[in-house]
Amino acid sequence: MGHNLSMCKLHQCRHKKSLHLRNSEESRMPGEGGGAESGLHRLHRNCYDPEYARMEAWLDEHPDFVQDYFLRKATRQVVDSWLVSHATPTSSSVELSSPTHNQSRGGSGATTPVRKISAHEFERGGLLKPMISTIDGTPTFLTSTEGQTGSGPGHSPTPGRRQRRSRHELRQLDEKELIFELVKDICNELEVRSLCHKILQNVSMLLHADRGSLFLVQGEKATCQTVGPHSQRGRYLVSKLFDVCSKSTLIEMEKKDEIRIPWGTGIVGYVAESGDPVNIPDAYKDERFNHDIDVLTGYKTRTLLCMPIKDTNGDVLGVAQVINKVGDAPFTEQDEKIFSSYLQFCGIGLRNAHLYEKSQLEVKRNQVLLDLARMIFEEQSTIEHVVFRILTHTQSLIQCQRVQVLLVHQASKGSFSRVFDFEATDLNGEDSESRTSPYESRFPINVGITGYVATTGETVSIPCAYEDPRFDHSVDDGTNFKHKTILCMAIKNSSGQIIGVIQLINKFDDLQFTKNDENFVEAFAIFCGMGIHNTHMYERAVVAIAKQSVTLEVLSYHATASLDDAQRLRKMRVPSAANFRLHEFTFDDYIMNDDETITACIRMFLDLDLVERFHMDYEVLCRWLLSVKKNYRNVTYHNWRHAFNVAQMMFSILTATQWWKIFGEAECLALIIGCLCHDLDHRGTNNSFQIKASSPLAQLYSTSTMEHHHFDQCIMILNSPGNQLLANVSPDEYSRVIRIVEEAILSTDLAVYFRKRGAFFNIVREGPRFNTEEHRELLRAMLMTVCDLAAITKPWDVEKRVAELVSSEFFEQGDIEREELNITPIDIMNREKEDQLPLMQVGFIDSICLPIYESFAALSDKLEPLVDGVRENRDHWLEIAAAQSLIPSESMEKDSNDNMTISKPSTPDSDAPSSPVHNYNSD
């Protein structure tokens, strides 16, 4: 009786204590801090008497009873009041959690620490990490690591986890108490697999089921279905845990393979799609039931209850399924109500666990992005190197077949100046370890999509390329590749200007690009934009320094012709073209002096009516020609005489074929200027040498190095005072002439010739339409090559003399490579292989010269003498080769056209030159 009375008074005192503590919590202001009187002191002051003293003494002597009583009876308000009254005071005021208030504070977490919140956390309207409590009850956003034994499989990240009751204790509770206990069991669980395991064991206990399974919804709503065994477009269900019984452990369950169920397939798929529960008293009588599962597991399913798990918005997060109610009874309507009630709380728990999982992924994502940023900014020497790193890391992270980075042309925002490609198989090749730059322009460009992104800056994610009207189907024609999914995004610099586009094509396993992929690429693209922009700035600085170096070198060596020299030339008589034999293909300048070559050039301008048509100042023309001549170095072959001979051949072809009527005066002017200037400031070394020697010119131009330099020198002379040959032409005509001059000079690079000659040969076969700019442009380019190599068409004595000059210049470059660069020169430049010259010439004629001259002869029979000259010189080289025993004389024979041929090769393949380096104009 006394014990009951004491317990009654204890309850009364506890009620008073709770009331006092609640009043204390409500009345304490943030500014009071530790100076406020605690609720416990007020309890002693208002409620203390001898009987309470005896009761408190008894409680002090029985701490196990106190703890058990507290755990069973204490309300959340009591717990909160206790935490508030025992919080460690830190300061007289509570600081706001902001970036400006992140100083270190005393105490053990009595105030909320500063938390950095990323924009991604607000993607679906709520913070990723829920508010949890530390061991002392202090609210915090951060996960505590103290007291955790590990972070491996099955370990929950939830701190201060309450101890679970035993299954025996739970079975003693009534239905409402049991549901309440099971809800408390899952409410603080944040690890998805552990939470799923608890849910299944708890629902099995609630419904007296033998076992259960849980499937979670993954993927997005499908917009384009693809056929294939790995197709996972749209939503589907994944079994996080399958066939969990009362004795199953989480570690055992995690060892099982994941099961995927297509959306709407089977009972589980039906429940997920419809959102309605399914209660089946006999599984084998339901046509939706898949018997193969029982065959696979060896377990017979009799009764089955399947129900969706929804979040607060009514969206299906997963499907829970319980099997075989104990006693072989079917699941009742009451079971459905209990199942539904409990799963409502499970939906909230799963939602929280998913959000927590996303927050952890966000942390990892930020770490990856920081690492990628470090990778990009680590070395920014060249744009190729930076873009190669961007391509390889993007493909590795997003896992797709192809990645392209397209740099926007600054002058024309809808077009691209450079296109870099990367394919997943590129790193499997032999040169994968040594490669530091990407491939360029290998694959066709989806101009409709990339151009749209480049002009609008909008992100384009296409789940099915062939259903998007912006996609050009023709890019897949003639290839073994098919575009399926595309993610295209703009790359911007720090000013927000679009400088490029990154395009990802065909995610692996026929998956679609997700919103997460977009977020990742978008964040990565920011660093890419800064990296590319910084590299562009660095390259500009390098180019500026190189230009300065080249300019100083040029100015120190060259100077424009003097006015006195121009006036002297102006007074000289200019003989006729017939006197110079300028119309003849067999023209030879050997007996001419330098003044005669200049006056011959004036005659070409006069006969083509260029002086009158473009209102040229005659004295300016004289000075310009003298300056051009002066800007040629005194090298063995690529000197003023070579330029003069190229111009003469252009003049003779234009007049013999009457093609000057096709081109018109402006194009003829540009072609003659291009011929005279196409090798300006040539140093006697080719493009390959400039790159090997890392010369300033190679830093200025990565392709057609010398040709770009020749054109720059041409512009420099045209803009020099007293040399402004085009001063009296209109702005539009000036722009057109300069553009054609640039095309003409760049066309003398044999790499450009090889790139264009296939299209030209097709035009010749199909019939040219020279009224179109495209066909005329190809004709001009090929004509420059024909004139540049024209020495091969000359009479034998001229051809042999020129070949010796070319070889001498090549051997001089080879000597420099051997002595200064410590490399072995190629055969054509190797003085030790001088005896192979005849065979090299034959190889050069067969691979480069004959095809182009025969094509031109097909365009005009007036050019047949050029082909005849090439064939005659080829026969001479073959005779020399046979005389020097380079080939057996008996292997030489004549074909039906009376041309000398070799019946079977007798030299190694390496001695038969087929490379573009074997030529007269080896820039």
Side-chain angles (χ1 to χ4, degrees):
M1 183 70 179
H3 175 70
N4 291 338
L5 180 61
S6 298
M7 292 305 296
C8 180
K9 290 183 177 180
L10 177 63
H11 279 291
Q12 293 174 356
C13 186
R14 181 181 62 78
H15 175 72
K16 290 179 181 179
K17 177 181 177 182
S18 173
L19 181 61
H20 280 301
L21 289 175
R22 187 161 57 250
N23 291 338
S24 168
E25 181 180 15
E26 292 170 356
S27 62
R28 286 183 68 186
M29 299 299 291
E32 293 176 353
E37 183 182 23
S38 72
L40 187 59
H41 290 165
R42 284 200 295 272
L43 174 66
H44 279 272
R45 185 186 66 195
N46 298 333
C47 184
Y48 194 84
D49 60 29
E51 187 175 354
Y52 290 147
R54 288 194 300 274
M55 188 186 309
E56 186 172 348
W58 186 88
L59 293 173
D60 288 342
E61 294 172 359
H62 297 82
D64 293 338
F65 171 80
V66 174
Q67 182 177 356
D68 179 69
Y69 181 85
F70 186 84
L71 291 176
R72 287 185 292 107
K73 300 293 185 178
T75 64
R76 180 59 184 261
Q77 289 178 328
V78 172
V79 174
D80 291 342
S81 299
W82 184 92
L83 292 172
V84 171
S85 65
H86 286 74
T88 304
T90 58
S91 64
S92 59
S93 64
V94 178
E95 298 180 19
L96 294 175
S97 176
S98 71
T100 59
H101 292 83
N102 60 353
Q103 293 88 350
S104 176
R105 310 174 192 178
S108 57
T111 55
T112 303
V114 174
R115 181 190 183 208
K116 296 179 180 178
I117 302 174
S118 70
H120 181 72
E121 292 176 295
F122 297 93
E123 192 173 85
R124 297 188 66 176
L127 297 178
L128 289 179
K129 289 188 180 180
M131 180 83 80
I132 57 178
S133 298
T134 58
I135 194 68
D136 64 356
T138 305
T140 177
F141 283 113
L142 305 179
T143 302
S144 172
T145 56
E146 294 182 8
Q148 293 185 6
T149 57
S151 58
H155 177 73
S156 171
T158 309
R161 181 194 295 175
R162 63 190 294 274
Q163 185 176 2
R164 299 182 69 187
R165 290 195 179 197
S166 67
R167 296 180 66 85
H168 175 74
E169 290 175 320
L170 292 173
R171 288 195 180 97
Q172 308 306 314
L173 303 176
D174 61 30
E175 182 180 292
K176 290 185 178 179
E177 289 178 329
L178 177 58
I179 290 180
F180 182 63
E181 284 296 322
L182 297 183
V183 168
K184 288 194 295 183
D185 186 39
I186 66 170
C187 66
N188 285 328
E189 183 61 65
L190 294 176
E191 203 279 318
V192 175
R193 283 188 176 273
S194 178
L195 175 62
C196 293
H197 188 257
K198 283 185 177 182
I199 289 173
L200 288 175
Q201 288 196 323
N202 291 348
V203 296
S204 297
M205 185 186 306
L206 268 175
L207 303 178
H208 305 288
D210 183 55
R211 60 187 60 199
S213 301
L214 192 144
F215 301 84
L216 297 182
V217 176
Q218 292 188 4
E220 300 174 357
K221 290 184 179 180
T223 56
C224 173
Q225 296 293 336
T226 59
V227 180
H230 302 293
S231 177
Q232 292 293 350
R233 297 187 184 278
R235 291 183 291 178
Y236 53 94
L237 295 123
V238 175
S239 66
K240 285 294 182 182
L241 297 167
F242 187 74
D243 269 2
V244 175
C245 61
S246 60
K247 297 181 181 179
S248 301
T249 65
L250 181 59
I251 296 176
E252 291 173 349
M253 292 294 100
E254 287 183 332
K255 293 179 180 179
K256 293 186 177 181
D257 294 334
E258 188 179 78
I259 297 176
R260 293 195 178 193
I261 297 179
W263 192 256
T265 302
I267 296 172
V268 173
Y270 169 80
V271 171
E273 186 177 47
S274 66
D276 300 326
V278 169
N279 188 349
I280 302 177
D282 190 341
Y284 279 79
K285 291 183 179 180
D286 194 294
E287 60 182 11
R288 294 168 296 184
F289 178 70
N290 186 357
H291 301 190
D292 295 338
I293 300 295
D294 280 5
V295 175
L296 185 66
T297 60
Y299 179 86
K300 184 173 182 180
T301 303
R302 295 183 295 277
T303 58
L304 185 149
L305 178 57
C306 195
M307 193 163 288
I309 303 176
K310 301 181 180 180
D311 62 10
T312 54
N313 299 322
D315 295 329
V316 177
L317 299 176
V319 174
Q321 175 182 272
V322 287
I323 303 170
N324 292 355
K325 188 167 183 176
V326 176
D328 290 338
F331 292 102
T332 65
E333 290 186 8
Q334 182 64 17
D335 291 332
E336 291 184 31
K337 292 179 181 178
I338 295 172
F339 200 9
S340 177
S341 299
Y342 182 64
L343 289 185
Q344 290 181 16
F345 296 101
C346 296
I348 297 172
L350 276 174
R351 176 69 172 165
N352 289 341
H354 278 308
L355 292 174
Y356 177 80
E357 189 177 60
K358 286 185 178 180
S359 73
Q360 298 301 100
L361 291 175
E362 178 74 5
V363 172
K364 294 179 180 178
R365 177 175 173 269
N366 290 337
Q367 291 173 343
V368 171
L369 284 173
L370 288 173
D371 184 58
L372 291 173
R374 176 195 57 77
M375 174 271 301
I376 290 177
F377 296 117
E378 191 173 54
E379 184 178 350
Q380 300 180 7
S381 56
T382 65
I383 193 67
E384 293 85 0
H385 192 69
V386 170
V387 171
F388 185 65
R389 289 190 168 198
I390 291 172
L391 291 171
T392 53
H393 284 76
T394 302
Q395 188 279 328
S396 175
L397 288 165
I398 305 300
Q399 292 292 291
C400 57
Q401 285 183 285
R402 286 182 181 175
V403 183
Q404 287 182 311
V405 168
L406 306 92
L407 301 184
V408 172
H409 198 292
Q410 295 304 310
S412 176
K413 297 297 183 182
S415 59
F416 302 100
S417 59
R418 300 184 74 177
V419 179
F420 299 96
D421 311 308
F422 183 81
E423 201 164 22
T425 56
D426 284 351
L427 294 181
N428 300 333
E430 296 179 357
D431 63 340
S432 60
E433 295 183 1
S434 59
R435 175 170 285 278
T436 58
S437 60
Y439 294 97
E440 291 194 47
S441 305
R442 277 188 302 173
F443 310 129
I445 306 173
N446 304 315
V447 178
I449 295 171
T450 55
Y452 175 80
V453 173
T455 52
T456 65
E458 296 179 14
T459 297
V460 172
S461 182
I462 301 176
C464 187
Y466 278 77
E467 293 186 3
D468 194 288
R470 293 166 296 188
F471 177 71
D472 182 8
H473 300 187
S474 64
V475 298
D476 287 343
D477 294 346
T479 68
N480 294 323
F481 186 85
K482 183 178 180 181
H483 286 70
K484 298 175 183 176
T485 56
I486 298 173
L487 175 59
C488 194
M489 193 170 294
I491 299 175
K492 302 179 181 180
N493 60 16
S494 56
S495 303
Q497 296 175 326
I498 298 174
I499 60 174
V501 170
I502 185 168
Q503 180 176 236
L504 291 77
I505 303 170
N506 292 0
K507 195 171 181 180
F508 285 156
D509 298 325
D510 286 337
L511 296 174
Q512 293 181 7
F513 291 105
T514 64
K515 187 66 179 178
N516 182 62
D517 295 331
E518 290 184 34
N519 292 338
F520 201 102
V521 176
E522 181 180 13
F524 187 36
I526 295 173
F527 297 113
C528 296
M530 290 188 291
I532 292 173
H533 178 70
N534 291 346
T535 305
H536 274 313
M537 297 300 293
Y538 174 78
E539 286 186 334
R540 287 177 185 173
V542 171
V543 166
I545 295 172
K547 277 188 175 182
Q548 183 183 28
S549 176
V550 172
T551 302
L552 290 174
E553 181 188 358
V554 170
L555 291 177
S556 65
Y557 186 86
H558 299 303
T560 58
S562 67
L563 183 59
D564 292 340
D565 289 341
Q567 291 175 344
R568 180 184 62 82
L569 179 61
R570 179 182 182 181
K571 297 175 182 178
M572 294 178 63
R573 186 180 67 86
V574 179
S576 67
N579 183 274
F580 285 126
R581 300 176 60 226
L582 293 177
H583 294 291
E584 298 180 15
F585 294 141
T586 58
F587 172 82
D588 183 11
D589 70 316
Y590 187 70
I591 61 172
M592 297 175 68
N593 59 39
D594 287 348
D595 283 345
E596 288 175 326
T597 61
I598 297 293
T599 53
C601 289
I602 294 175
R603 174 51 59 190
M604 295 180 209
F605 274 83
L606 292 171
D607 283 10
L608 290 172
D609 200 27
L610 303 179
V611 177
E612 185 69 24
R613 165 65 178 79
F614 296 101
H615 311 291
M616 293 180 184
D617 186 313
Y618 189 76
E619 186 174 291
V620 171
L621 173 61
C622 294
R623 192 172 183 183
W624 178 80
L625 287 169
L626 289 170
S627 296
V628 169
K629 174 183 172 296
K630 195 167 188 178
N631 276 267
Y632 274 94
R633 299 194 181 196
N634 189 26
V635 294
T636 306
Y637 175 68
H638 290 96
N639 49 38
W640 162 250
R641 289 303 181 111
H642 167 65
F644 169 65
N645 276 281
V646 173
Q648 182 275 327
M649 180 58 72
M650 178 67 72
F651 175 79
S652 62
I653 290 177
L654 290 176
T655 54
T657 60
Q658 299 292 292
W659 283 351
W660 59 269
K661 296 178 182 178
I662 293 176
F663 292 125
E665 292 152 330
E667 293 180 32
C668 287
L669 172 63
L671 288 172
I672 294 296
I673 292 175
C675 289
L676 290 171
C677 299
H678 82 281
D679 274 332
L680 275 172
D681 194 45
H682 200 291
R683 287 92 188 283
T685 52
N686 62 8
N687 289 335
S688 176
F689 178 85
Q690 305 302 323
I691 295 171
K692 293 174 186 176
S694 298
S695 70
L697 284 175
Q699 295 176 25
L700 277 175
Y701 317 105
S702 57
T703 59
S704 300
T705 302
M706 292 304 300
E707 287 74 22
H708 277 105
H709 178 58
H710 303 325
F711 172 70
D712 284 351
Q713 292 302 110
C714 173
I715 297 301
M716 184 189 75
I717 297 173
L718 283 171
N719 291 332
S720 299
N723 294 271
Q724 294 165 331
L725 189 67
L726 306 177
N728 297 324
V729 302
S730 67
D732 290 342
E733 212 161 35
Y734 177 86
S735 298
R736 182 164 178 252
V737 169
I738 293 301
R739 177 179 61 81
I740 296 173
V741 168
E742 182 179 18
E743 290 174 359
I745 293 177
L746 293 183
S747 296
T748 59
D749 181 1
L750 282 183
V752 176
Y753 159 74
F754 276 106
R755 192 165 65 241
K756 291 183 176 182
R757 75 171 187 173
F760 178 72
F761 292 160
N762 289 335
I763 288 176
V764 174
R765 282 193 297 269
E766 297 170 3
R769 298 189 306 275
F770 291 133
N771 59 330
T772 64
E773 175 59 27
E774 180 184 0
H775 284 201
R776 280 208 316 281
E777 181 182 337
L778 271 176
L779 178 61
R780 291 195 302 265
M782 295 298 105
L783 193 54
M784 287 298 297
T785 301
V786 164
C787 295
D788 197 18
L789 307 179
I792 201 72
T793 69
K794 301 288 184 177
W796 171 244
D797 58 332
V798 178
E799 148 68 359
K800 190 170 183 298
R801 183 177 73 243
V802 172
E804 291 172 353
L805 292 175
V806 174
S807 300
S808 297
E809 188 174 284
F810 282 176
F811 292 152
E812 289 167 9
Q813 175 178 324
D815 294 342
I816 297 173
E817 290 180 356
R818 192 190 307 274
E819 295 168 7
E820 297 184 9
L821 304 182
N822 295 319
I823 58 177
T824 302
I826 59 176
D827 289 353
I828 193 69
M829 297 182 181
N830 193 341
R831 197 178 295 275
E832 297 173 359
K833 299 290 184 71
E834 185 175 2
D835 58 330
Q836 297 292 322
L837 177 61
L839 275 184
M840 293 179 187
Q841 287 294 91
V842 173
F844 169 61
I845 291 171
D846 289 344
S847 62
I848 296 176
C849 300
L850 266 178
I852 189 65
Y853 284 107
E854 288 174 346
S855 295
F856 268 82
L859 289 176
S860 174
D861 56 4
K862 301 291 186 181
L863 303 181
E864 280 287 352
L866 299 179
V867 182
D868 295 338
V870 174
R871 290 169 178 161
E872 289 174 7
N873 289 327
R874 181 181 183 277
D875 291 344
H876 283 295
W877 287 116
L878 280 175
E879 290 170 0
I880 294 175
Q884 295 179 358
S885 301
L886 297 176
I887 53 175
S889 57
E890 60 270 15
S891 67
M892 295 177 56
E893 56 188 31
K894 290 190 176 183
D895 60 15
S896 58
N897 294 324
D898 206 32
N899 296 321
M900 200 75 73
T901 61
I902 305 175
S903 59
K904 70 172 68 172
S906 59
T907 57
D909 291 342
S910 59
D911 289 337
S914 59
S915 167
V917 298
H918 304 109
N919 60 79
Y920 291 117
N921 186 40
S922 185
D923 279 353

PDB file of all heavy atoms in Angstrom, residues 68 112 123 456 548 672 889:
ATOM      1  N   ASP A  68      14.603   2.311 -16.527  1.00  0.00           N
ATOM      2  CA  ASP A  68      13.544   1.541 -17.165  1.00  0.00           C
ATOM      3  C   ASP A  68      12.255   2.338 -17.187  1.00  0.00           C
ATOM      4  O   ASP A  68      11.545   2.385 -18.206  1.00  0.00           O
ATOM      5  CB  ASP A  68      13.352   0.214 -16.433  1.00  0.00           C
ATOM      6  CG  ASP A  68      12.232  -0.611 -17.044  1.00  0.00           C
ATOM      7  OD1 ASP A  68      12.419  -1.096 -18.181  1.00  0.00           O
ATOM      8  OD2 ASP A  68      11.172  -0.733 -16.402  1.00  0.00           O
ATOM      9  N   THR A 112      23.573  25.029 -33.152  1.00  0.00           N
ATOM     10  CA  THR A 112      23.572  24.395 -34.466  1.00  0.00           C
ATOM     11  C   THR A 112      24.782  24.840 -35.273  1.00  0.00           C
ATOM     12  O   THR A 112      24.989  26.029 -35.455  1.00  0.00           O
ATOM     13  CB  THR A 112      22.296  24.774 -35.225  1.00  0.00           C
ATOM     14  OG1 THR A 112      21.177  24.397 -34.432  1.00  0.00           O
ATOM     15  CG2 THR A 112      22.229  24.064 -36.563  1.00  0.00           C
ATOM     16  N   GLU A 123      16.323  20.896 -55.156  1.00  0.00           N
ATOM     17  CA  GLU A 123      15.819  20.481 -56.457  1.00  0.00           C
ATOM     18  C   GLU A 123      14.369  20.034 -56.389  1.00  0.00           C
ATOM     19  O   GLU A 123      13.570  20.331 -57.258  1.00  0.00           O
ATOM     20  CB  GLU A 123      16.688  19.355 -57.011  1.00  0.00           C
ATOM     21  CG  GLU A 123      16.426  19.066 -58.473  1.00  0.00           C
ATOM     22  CD  GLU A 123      17.414  18.061 -59.009  1.00  0.00           C
ATOM     23  OE1 GLU A 123      17.146  16.867 -58.848  1.00  0.00           O
ATOM     24  OE2 GLU A 123      18.447  18.462 -59.561  1.00  0.00           O
ATOM     25  N   THR A 456      21.585  29.428 -78.845  1.00  0.00           N
ATOM     26  CA  THR A 456      20.616  29.732 -77.785  1.00  0.00           C
ATOM     27  C   THR A 456      21.177  29.530 -76.383  1.00  0.00           C
ATOM     28  O   THR A 456      20.687  30.139 -75.435  1.00  0.00           O
ATOM     29  CB  THR A 456      19.368  28.848 -77.934  1.00  0.00           C
ATOM     30  OG1 THR A 456      19.728  27.464 -77.732  1.00  0.00           O
ATOM     31  CG2 THR A 456      18.756  29.021 -79.324  1.00  0.00           C
ATOM     32  N   GLN A 548      55.993  38.471 -82.255  1.00  0.00           N
ATOM     33  CA  GLN A 548      57.012  39.490 -82.028  1.00  0.00           C
ATOM     34  C   GLN A 548      58.382  38.982 -82.449  1.00  0.00           C
ATOM     35  O   GLN A 548      59.159  39.698 -83.101  1.00  0.00           O
ATOM     36  CB  GLN A 548      57.033  39.898 -80.558  1.00  0.00           C
ATOM     37  CG  GLN A 548      58.013  41.005 -80.232  1.00  0.00           C
ATOM     38  CD  GLN A 548      58.039  41.305 -78.750  1.00  0.00           C
ATOM     39  OE1 GLN A 548      57.773  40.446 -77.923  1.00  0.00           O
ATOM     40  NE2 GLN A 548      58.370  42.532 -78.398  1.00  0.00           N
ATOM     41  N   ILE A 672      47.601  35.455-109.748  1.00  0.00           N
ATOM     42  CA  ILE A 672      48.955  35.916-110.079  1.00  0.00           C
ATOM     43  C   ILE A 672      49.675  36.392-108.814  1.00  0.00           C
ATOM     44  O   ILE A 672      50.853  36.068-108.584  1.00  0.00           O
ATOM     45  CB  ILE A 672      48.898  37.042-111.134  1.00  0.00           C
ATOM     46  CG1 ILE A 672      48.354  36.501-112.466  1.00  0.00           C
ATOM     47  CG2 ILE A 672      50.271  37.654-111.340  1.00  0.00           C
ATOM     48  CD1 ILE A 672      49.227  35.447-113.118  1.00  0.00           C
ATOM     49  N   SER A 889      67.100  -3.853-115.824  1.00  0.00           N
ATOM     50  CA  SER A 889      66.685  -3.299-117.117  1.00  0.00           C
ATOM     51  C   SER A 889      65.652  -4.185-117.796  1.00  0.00           C
ATOM     52  O   SER A 889      64.787  -3.708-118.525  1.00  0.00           O
ATOM     53  CB  SER A 889      67.908  -3.124-118.023  1.00  0.00           C
ATOM     54  OG  SER A 889      68.585  -4.364-118.183  1.00  0.00           O
TER      55      SER A 889
END
